[in-house]
Every structure is written in structure tokens, then in C-alpha cells.
Amino acid sequence: MVNRRIAEILRSGQPDEQIAIKGWVRTRRESKGFAFLEVNDGSSLANLQVVLNADMPNYAEVIKQLNTGASLEVAGILVASPGKGQRIELQASNVTVYGDADPKTYPLQKKGHSFEFLREIGHLRSRTNSFGAVFRVRNACARAIHQFFQERGFLWIHTPIISASDCEGAGEMFAVTSFNLKDVPLTEAKEVDYSKDFFGKPAYLTVSGQLEAEVMAMAFSNVYTFGPTFRAENSNTSRHLAEFWMVEPEMAFCDLQGDMDLAEAFLKHVFKYVMETCPEDMAFFNERIDKSVLATADNIINNQFERLTYTDAIALLEKADKQFQYPVKWGLDLQSEHERYLAEEVFKKPVILTDYPTEIKAFYMRLNDDEKTVRAMDILAPKIGEIIGGSQREERLDVLERRIKAQGLNSEDYWWYLDLRRYGTVPHAGFGLGFERLVQFMTGMGNIRDVIPFPRAPLTVEF
């Protein structure tokens, strides 16, 4: 007898097919001579109804174990369902219970649970409707990302998790060491003697794979990273994680215009793919989590993104008939309220801002001829603000050396990065997208800790 996934059965299963399923009991109800189970195997939001007749050989023994949360295998025949809201159901001929679940202690009973409570039982929360939908959409997003880049001839590269470089220059990095912290070796000057550490120098968890992606782009032209990154930022907010995944394409022989074009096409592709492959889950989010989820997806897919400079955006904000919490002034970084005002109230669609002031952007961004701005771009989306940040990179050796020095960084730490400008330098560009921020935006979930299976944040390292 063929084992089938429930999603496929609900989509194309036909009466009189002999099948078997494996999954977990969501609910059980009993009637005279019958029991009805709702079984889910994680493949879809919907459950498959299983009907057990009391004359089944091991009915009395099995029914006692079929509580919510129990795991089982059911063999039987598909029949047309007389009930409303379901096309087909499984008439069981044999049931095997793999593991029962004590109804007195199993925490996921048939009632609503808050997301705060579910974070406390992160090992079980994936069995709920909300988190099942989240992680199916997350999976679809990942597939769409790989599909987008692979179809365009990009090479997927695996950048190191351990690094000696601070790509962003922010200094919020997790240190990596093999030292016994109770007995750290010191130099004569009473400083940590890193020469005796595993790598012989300070090492950290990476904050970005961008610099290594630039290395690979100088050989393969178009590459992308998709992997975990880490920030030791002590932010207990609904938008921050200490460990999160980043998508970072890097393109040789590319300028800011090409960077913007690719980023816009990328977002449209991912949203379109998810809408086509997870319509049931997206409808669930629209109904239960945020009633603007489907409209948001449509806004991304079917609008040409607005493009304007940072300078023009500041002018619009200064003229706005609105009181902002944070000041608006040329030279200051935009806050989320400013970004959302532009995307939600002024243009009512995604906006790409370009040419930011040099002082508020990273050293590797290409300096414009005015020497006051750099060729940076951020994509601002309604409801969330910045979702993608990118730039054309500085390919001129003398300018890059000057920028590194101006930001107080040690050029010796970037000798290999500077070599890329010494040997066959080319114009190149790229961008970065926080994967969890994308999934949160797409699903309407209120807290970023609820779109990653095992969130890592300050004082949060369970599971």
C-alpha cells in the first residue's frame, strides 16, 4: 500500500484508492460506532479526516491512545466525504500508533495559544496551524530565492561563518575563541595574547558574507550567498535576531542601475512564487494574522517600484504635513517612520532610495563625484520600511584606501580586499536581504522570532 502525503491526497486523491498515511492527531471525536480523527502530516494547512469503524479489529485498544498529539499510521481506502468543507476522507482498515500523547500534560490542546506561550514550547509549536504555515512559506521563499539566481546563472557560494573581518564596521560581533575563559593567556602588557588562540588572532562570527562574495564575483561574475549571519546587538525588539539568514548577491561588471533592477525583479519573483505555491497558507495569514497580507503581495508583484534620491526624499519629508518622532535633516539616517511614510503615504508602493550621504554608509560603497554621497540603494516597502540594502562597490584602489582610513579601520586587515582592486578590478554591485525580515513581511507575523524555527536573541538560546 502506497504511503501518501496529505497535501497530495487532498489535492488529487480519488475514491476507491488504497493508501496509507502517517502523521499526528489534531483532534478526535467519537460517535456511536464511529470515531473521527483529524490527521496532519505537516504537508498542508488542512487535515485529512479519518473515519474509524468500531468493528475494526483493534478499535478498542487503539482508540484509547488516539489523543491530540499522538503519532500514527493509517491504512485504508479513500471515499467521498458526505461532510461539508471536505471532498474526500479516509476509511481506516488498520491503525498503528507510534507514540501516544497524554492529554493531561500535552500542551497543544484544541484551543487558541498565544505566540508568547508557544515560544516557550518551541519544540512543539511547529505542530500548530500558524507555525506550520510560517515554515511552509519560509521553505517556499528559500526555493524561490535559489530558483531566481540559478535560472540567471549565478553561482551559489558558501561563505565562512568564522571571520576576522567586520564587514559593517559596527563592532557588534560575537567573539570566537578556544581559550579557557577562567585562564586566558596575557601578554606582558596584560592584554589578551591572541597568538595562543586557535586562529592566532581575534576571530568572530560573521556579520555578512559580502566581502567574500566580492572575492568570488571577481572570478565567476555573478554569485550569491544564502546562509546564517550573527549580530551581537542587544536588541530585544520584534524586528531583531542575534542569528539570522542573509541573501547576498554580488555582480561583477554591474552598476547601481543594474543592482536596483535585479533587486526589484528578485522581490517580485519571490512573492509571485510563494503566492502560486502556498495559496492556502497565504490565505490563512490574510484571514487570521494580518488582513492586508494578500494586498501587500499584490502591491509588490504588480507595481513598478518608485525610484528617487535620498536628497529628494529628505525634501519630501521636510514638507510632510506630519509630525515625526525623529528629526528629518540631510545627513541623518532615515528611521522606520520616515521610510514607511514614503512607501505607505506618499507613493503607496515600494520605493528605492539612492545616493545616501557618505557618513551614514559603509566604507565599501562607491563614492559619487560630489564626494558627499555614495552609490547606495535601499528598498523601502509599505508596513516594514527597509527590506533590502545594497550599493555599487568602490572599485578604485586609492578611493577605497581613503574611505577605509576615514572610517578609522585598519587597512592591513583588508589587504586581501584591497588586492581585488589591484588585480583586475571591475565595477561591481550587490545587495543584502535579511531572510527572516522577508518572511515576516510576507506573512504579516508580528514578531521576527516567530518566522525562524529556533530563534536566537538576548537571553534566548533554548531548543
Side-chain angles (χ1 to χ4, degrees):
M1 192 172 289
V2 179
N3 275 288
R4 303 265 292 277
R5 298 304 300 276
I6 287 174
E8 190 269 328
I9 293 168
L10 293 174
R11 184 171 57 249
S12 58
Q14 296 299 320
D16 299 327
E17 287 185 78
Q18 296 278 345
I19 66 162
I21 63 166
K22 296 176 182 178
W24 292 265
V25 176
R26 285 289 178 86
T27 64
R28 182 192 80 190
R29 56 190 175 89
E30 294 182 62
S31 185
K32 188 174 182 180
F34 296 94
F36 299 91
L37 306 178
E38 294 289 328
V39 179
N40 193 285
D41 64 1
S43 62
S44 74
L45 183 67
N47 308 315
L48 179 64
Q49 180 164 282
V50 176
V51 182
L52 281 68
N53 290 314
D55 58 2
M56 196 177 70
N58 56 346
Y59 179 85
E61 175 188 349
V62 164
I63 200 66
K64 296 176 184 177
Q65 303 175 68
L66 294 179
N67 299 301
T68 297
S71 56
L72 76 169
E73 178 178 4
V74 182
I77 187 170
L78 291 176
V79 297
S81 177
K84 292 183 179 179
Q86 55 199 21
R87 180 182 65 85
I88 206 160
E89 62 189 26
L90 179 58
Q91 186 76 45
S93 58
N94 186 63
V95 175
T96 301
V97 179
Y98 288 113
D100 57 9
D102 187 344
K104 295 179 181 178
T105 58
Y106 184 61
L108 294 176
Q109 294 301 317
K110 190 180 179 181
K111 62 178 183 179
H113 298 289
S114 71
F115 290 135
E116 290 80 5
F117 168 74
L118 292 173
R119 280 178 221 127
E120 297 174 5
I121 53 168
H123 58 305
L124 297 173
R125 67 176 185 168
S126 297
R127 301 186 191 185
T128 65
N129 285 339
S130 295
F131 286 96
V134 164
F135 297 132
R136 281 187 295 272
V137 166
R138 182 185 172 102
N139 173 70
C141 282
R143 288 183 62 186
I145 287 165
H146 285 298
Q147 181 188 71
F148 177 84
F149 290 117
Q150 293 292 328
E151 287 180 350
R152 287 162 175 77
F154 280 65
L155 189 76
W156 180 27
I157 60 170
H158 304 98
T159 52
I161 287 176
I162 299 174
S163 173
S165 300
D166 181 1
C167 175
E168 299 299 325
E172 296 169 332
M173 305 174 74
F174 287 101
V176 175
T177 182
S178 63
F179 284 151
N180 177 354
L181 298 184
K182 295 181 180 179
D183 186 23
V184 177
L186 303 176
T187 65
E188 290 183 2
K190 302 300 182 184
E191 296 178 345
V192 176
D193 187 356
Y194 285 105
S195 69
K196 292 183 171 62
D197 205 354
F198 187 91
F199 295 106
K201 62 191 298 186
Y204 310 93
L205 294 180
T206 185
V207 299
S208 169
Q210 179 202 311
L211 302 189
E212 290 85 359
E214 288 187 54
V215 170
M216 300 299 280
M218 293 303 105
F220 297 98
S221 296
N222 293 334
V223 303
Y224 71 104
T225 77
F226 187 9
T229 56
F230 307 85
R231 302 280 169 90
E233 183 179 1
N234 192 14
S235 295
N236 255 309
T237 77
S238 62
R239 298 183 65 193
H240 289 89
L241 289 167
E243 177 184 333
F244 55 98
W245 284 59
M246 284 282 288
V247 181
E248 296 173 297
E250 197 71 30
M251 297 80 70
F253 311 103
C254 182
D255 59 12
L256 184 63
Q257 183 68 40
D259 201 28
M260 290 190 291
D261 291 344
L262 188 84
E264 179 171 346
F266 168 77
L267 276 182
K268 291 178 182 294
H269 174 86
V270 175
F271 269 85
K272 188 171 186 291
Y273 182 90
V274 171
M275 289 299 297
E276 290 172 351
T277 57
C278 299
E280 185 182 38
D281 293 317
M282 292 299 287
F284 170 83
F285 291 122
N286 197 74
E287 179 184 349
R288 300 289 185 89
I289 304 299
D290 181 344
K291 296 191 181 301
S292 65
V293 161
L294 298 182
T296 296
D298 181 73
N299 195 0
I300 294 287
I301 296 168
N302 295 313
N303 272 316
Q304 183 175 350
F305 295 6
E306 189 70 30
R307 301 186 183 189
L308 72 159
T309 66
Y310 165 92
T311 300
D312 290 340
I314 291 294
L316 286 172
L317 291 167
E318 287 176 334
K319 292 188 294 185
D321 184 21
K322 184 181 179 69
Q323 283 292 112
F324 295 112
Q325 180 182 352
Y326 294 95
V328 175
K329 182 181 177 183
W330 199 98
L332 297 180
D333 209 354
L334 297 183
Q335 301 297 318
S336 180
E337 60 173 340
H338 307 138
E339 296 168 342
R340 292 187 60 178
Y341 173 77
L342 292 168
E344 293 173 15
E345 299 186 44
V346 177
F347 297 105
K348 296 180 172 59
K349 63 179 180 178
V351 177
I352 307 180
L353 291 191
T354 65
D355 302 296
Y356 282 77
T358 305
E359 289 75 15
I360 62 173
K361 288 297 182 180
F363 70 91
Y364 51 75
M365 298 185 177
R366 195 182 200 280
L367 191 65
N368 281 321
D369 292 342
D370 61 11
E371 298 221 342
K372 295 180 180 179
T373 59
V374 290
R375 293 184 190 175
M377 70 94 176
D378 287 344
I379 297 185
L380 317 178
K383 296 174 55 185
I384 195 169
E386 181 195 341
I387 192 167
I388 281 179
S391 71
Q392 182 174 339
R393 317 309 190 190
E394 183 55 75
E395 86 280 8
R396 298 165 295 183
L397 177 61
D398 59 330
V399 179
L400 183 58
E401 287 178 323
R402 179 155 48 97
R403 295 275 286 130
I404 289 175
K405 184 178 180 180
Q407 296 210 2
L409 300 173
N410 185 355
S411 61
E412 292 181 4
D413 292 338
Y414 296 92
W415 65 269
W416 55 273
Y417 190 66
L418 293 168
D419 267 3
L420 299 177
R421 279 69 180 172
R422 292 188 179 99
Y423 310 123
T425 187
V426 301
H428 59 291
F431 63 81
L433 170 135
F435 185 52
E436 283 73 25
R437 186 72 61 85
L438 173 66
V439 178
Q440 184 184 13
F441 175 48
M442 185 175 287
T443 60
M445 294 292 284
N447 195 310
I448 201 166
R449 300 183 192 192
D450 295 331
V451 298
I452 188 170
F454 308 104
R456 298 292 180 254
L459 304 180
T460 304
V461 73
E462 296 294 329
F463 314 112

